Amino acid sequence: RGRSSRSLTAALRSLVPLLTQRLPELPASDALRLSHVLWAYATSGLLNNPTDARACAGVFTTGAAELLSRGLDKFDAQALSNSLWAFATAKQPAAELFAAAADEIVSRRRVHEFTIQGLANLAWAFSKAAPELFAEGPRRSVAAPDLFAEISAAASESIQSQTISIQRYPEA
């Protein structure tokens, strides 16, 4: 187990320069794959080593640029929540990305597209990675104040509907 983990870390480390260069070449329709790359680096353990963390920053910088240039409306709920979660987990700065995501989710009323896990990931990611979007000041997002209210309402609705299903079909 330890050896395979080290092998994976070594493989991910060796791919950093290539991925930084090639991420923009992923097809625009491949949003989920982009989110998987970001997730892999966020959870790889490479970010615990300062040298690797600096190298991985390029993957996240390129990833943020790709997310923004492709348009967040092209990303399904899972790819969007996984990507934002990856940035927060990796402690990678992406204020512009988070502000655009808050606007996308609120203005297009997309919050109901997310699973309960996706909603939890969104709430956690925004609270960890982009608290300045919610504070008074120049970086405050116009959509941010409504975001947590919408996440809360959607989560409550989802839990309520699951409770009703369990009551109707207790054996299922």
Side-chain angles (χ1 to χ4, degrees):
R1 191 161 160 89
R3 188 180 314 170
S4 66
S5 176
R6 284 190 300 275
S7 296
L8 177 60
T9 301
L12 286 170
R13 182 181 294 120
S14 70
L15 288 173
V16 168
L18 179 65
L19 277 171
T20 302
Q21 178 185 0
R22 303 286 303 263
L23 274 180
E25 297 173 19
L26 277 176
S29 61
D30 219 346
L32 192 58
R33 186 168 295 164
L34 176 56
S35 75
H36 288 167
V37 168
L38 295 170
W39 180 89
Y41 277 91
T43 59
S44 69
L46 285 174
L47 299 166
N48 298 330
N49 174 320
T51 303
D52 289 334
R54 282 189 296 278
C56 288
V59 172
F60 285 93
T61 301
T62 303
E66 283 304 301
L67 284 159
L68 290 167
S69 71
R70 292 171 187 227
L72 297 179
D73 60 323
K74 307 288 187 295
F75 287 74
D76 69 15
Q78 181 182 358
L80 188 55
S81 69
N82 287 354
S83 296
L84 295 173
W85 181 90
F87 275 90
T89 298
K91 298 179 180 152
Q92 295 295 312
E96 184 182 353
L97 172 62
F98 277 85
D103 185 53
E104 170 69 21
I105 293 164
V106 173
S107 69
R108 294 183 186 263
R109 306 213 183 284
R110 291 190 59 188
V111 76
H112 293 287
E113 296 174 22
F114 294 88
T115 64
I116 194 75
Q117 182 65 54
L119 293 169
N121 287 352
L122 282 178
W124 183 84
F126 273 95
S127 69
K128 287 294 184 188
E132 71 278 0
L133 295 179
F134 302 92
E136 293 298 328
R139 299 192 83 182
R140 183 182 176 106
S141 164
V142 174
D146 297 328
L147 181 65
F148 280 126
E150 289 198 23
I151 289 173
S152 177
S156 178
E157 217 173 271
S158 179
I159 291 168
Q160 189 173 25
S161 95
Q162 289 175 13
T163 302
I164 290 169
S165 287
I166 290 169
Q167 290 171 346
R168 282 191 188 146
Y169 308 102
E171 307 282 323

